Amino acid sequence: MDVVYYPIQVIIPYELLDQQTEINEPINLVSHFGAREGESVYDFAWFPSMNSQDPATCCFVTSVRDHPVHLWDACTGNLRTSYTVIDHRERFVGPNVVSFNLDGSKIYCGYENTIEIFDVQRPGQESQKIPTIPQKRTKEGQKGIISCLDFSPDYAGLYAVGSYSHNVGIYDETNNELCLKLSGFKTGVTQVKFSMDGSQLFTVCRVSNVISCWDIRNTADVVYDLPRPGQTSQRIAFDIDPSGKLLITGDQNGNVLFYDISSETTENKHLKSMHAHQDLSVCATINPMYPWLIASASGQRKYTIDDEESSSDEEEEENDKERDSVENTIDNSLKIWRVPGHTEWYTYPTTTIETETEQQ
């Protein structure tokens, strides 16, 4: 069984401040409600056409281990409906990844060797099952546990699917057939994301120090790599701003990194580094409606391993110091960074709005 992606049990929307609010020191965000799930949350996705002025569009879906996919009301915190997948043992199966398509009419769920598609207007068990391989013992198609999904924002009808079997597939939404398969990944793929024009695809893997940019319209080769420290099996998510010019990501050292992806040059794309957390930065994202707001999150699971083999007193003392140093560095936090300006905004100083998340 694979690792849990997001080891949390509560989804909490926060009230953000407007651009005119003055902030002189970090403050706590106020949560509207908590949507508590019964098990660990694998993934979640906001409704793509959400408008706070239209309560009917304010919703999001969650994928939970051994539970149905839940559609939550983002205004009240109430459960609207569920979409159910039951295996051959009559057990609920939570998808590894869940995503709306661009118009929000369907929900795509990723399982092992299967993509399951639900009609948003028809909750329950009725769904369309799309096998990613024709047969179990075959080299054709895309084999493995589906780990990530993304739809091309240019409405070309394409969506990218990553798997833990070291491959990425490009599918046609009209018939859900595999159009292109990208391979050569050394580890499992944890995130895929199209550029704004749909001509390029950004991918990232586990235990990898780069984010790769692929040309999917012409050569299907890697155009360039963006260096990012990430020697960890935990997911480190990245995001692209609404203009399509900037890529932002966390890294294993607690930094938030900024890259210029608009220029044609394949070198010197790094713009700025910002030390944001005292632990691994698992996520960095840009508010799609208010680009002056940047969110980053940190935290990871901590394990204590007892050495069974005997060692000298000096070695034991050194190991204890290293272990205590790692264990004492606990930073499970969510931070909202406000950056003034829109053009060349990454050169400005930043202020933070911070809230501590529940320690695991």
Side-chain angles (χ1 to χ4, degrees):
M1 192 67 183
D2 211 89
V3 298
V4 178
Y5 309 150
Y6 301 96
I8 57 176
Q9 292 181 293
V10 185
I11 304 295
I12 304 178
Y14 288 94
E15 175 99 20
L16 297 181
L17 305 180
D18 56 37
Q19 194 171 10
Q20 284 72 37
T21 303
E22 293 186 2
I23 303 175
N24 297 321
E25 59 183 12
I27 62 175
N28 291 328
L29 299 181
V30 179
S31 63
H32 277 195
F33 59 84
R36 180 170 292 278
E37 293 282 10
E39 272 288 354
S40 297
V41 179
Y42 284 164
D43 197 10
F44 72 96
W46 288 96
F47 185 68
S49 302
M50 176 177 170
N51 184 347
S52 59
Q53 303 301 318
D54 184 4
T57 65
C58 297
C59 59
F60 59 94
V61 291
T62 58
S63 168
V64 183
R65 183 176 63 185
D66 301 331
H67 282 71
V69 174
H70 290 155
L71 180 66
W72 295 91
D73 191 310
C75 295
T76 64
N78 296 327
L79 179 64
R80 288 189 180 181
T81 189
S82 300
Y83 306 87
T84 306
V85 174
I86 300 177
D87 65 8
H88 62 285
R89 296 183 180 179
E90 296 186 353
R91 300 178 304 181
F92 292 118
V93 183
N96 303 289
V97 59
V98 62
S99 177
F100 286 100
N101 62 348
L102 291 182
D103 60 12
S105 61
K106 296 180 180 180
I107 299 173
Y108 284 65
C109 303
Y111 296 89
E112 184 174 6
N113 301 328
T114 305
I115 300 172
E116 197 136 353
I117 305 174
F118 289 93
D119 189 328
V120 174
Q121 302 297 329
R122 305 191 68 175
Q125 298 186 32
E126 185 176 348
S127 64
Q128 180 183 4
K129 293 179 173 61
I130 308 298
T132 58
I133 56 173
Q135 298 177 353
K136 288 186 177 180
R137 297 182 179 180
T138 180
K139 294 183 179 180
E140 299 179 0
Q142 184 182 12
K143 193 172 184 179
I145 298 174
I146 303 304
S147 58
C148 47
L149 277 162
D150 188 53
F151 289 83
S152 178
D154 65 347
Y155 287 88
L158 299 178
Y159 62 96
V161 177
S163 85
Y164 285 133
S165 292
H166 311 175
N167 55 59
V168 172
I170 308 296
Y171 292 81
D172 187 345
E173 190 177 355
T174 58
N175 53 25
N176 295 298
E177 292 184 356
L178 180 64
C179 303
L180 177 66
K181 182 179 177 181
L182 306 177
S183 57
F185 301 93
K186 295 182 179 180
T187 56
V189 181
T190 58
Q191 187 180 359
V192 292
K193 192 171 186 64
F194 282 96
S195 61
M196 288 302 169
D197 60 2
S199 63
Q200 296 176 333
L201 181 71
F202 292 87
T203 64
V204 67
C205 304
R206 285 175 170 171
V207 198
S208 174
N209 289 322
V210 297
I211 300 174
S212 298
C213 176
W214 298 75
D215 182 357
I216 64 170
R217 294 291 179 91
N218 297 316
T219 62
D221 293 330
V222 175
V223 181
Y224 56 82
D225 290 328
L226 300 175
R228 183 216 60 182
Q231 287 294 318
T232 174
S233 294
Q234 186 164 336
R235 285 193 178 194
I236 301 180
F238 65 90
D239 193 17
I240 298 176
D241 80 314
S243 69
K245 298 180 180 180
L246 184 78
L247 185 145
I248 180 174
T249 180
D251 71 6
Q252 68 179 26
N253 299 321
N255 300 315
V256 174
L257 310 178
F258 302 84
Y259 296 93
D260 179 13
I261 59 174
S262 62
S263 60
E264 296 182 357
T265 178
T266 59
E267 298 179 355
N268 299 324
K269 288 183 170 294
H270 181 260
L271 297 174
K272 181 181 177 63
S273 297
M274 178 178 66
H275 189 68
H277 301 276
Q278 300 303 316
D279 205 345
L280 185 146
S281 296
V282 296
C283 178
T285 184
I286 300 174
N287 190 305
M289 299 299 296
Y290 309 104
W292 44 271
L293 282 179
I294 298 173
S296 63
S298 66
Q300 60 181 315
R301 290 184 174 182
K302 303 290 186 178
Y303 297 95
T304 301
I305 301 177
D306 296 328
D307 296 331
E308 297 180 358
E309 299 181 358
S310 60
S311 59
S312 64
D313 294 340
E314 184 177 350
E315 290 177 342
E316 288 183 358
E317 184 177 355
E318 184 177 352
N319 291 335
D320 290 341
K321 289 182 179 179
E322 292 180 357
R323 187 181 298 113
D324 292 341
S325 176
V326 173
E327 291 178 355
N328 292 333
T329 306
I330 298 178
D331 181 7
N332 297 333
S333 62
L334 165 68
K335 294 184 179 181
I336 309 298
W337 304 83
R338 187 177 70 178
V339 188
H342 295 279
T343 304
E344 300 293 333
W345 55 267
Y346 52 81
T347 62
Y348 287 81
T350 58
T351 56
T352 66
I353 312 170
E354 179 177 355
T355 179
E356 296 295 327
T357 59
E358 181 180 359
Q359 181 174 329
Q360 304 307 315

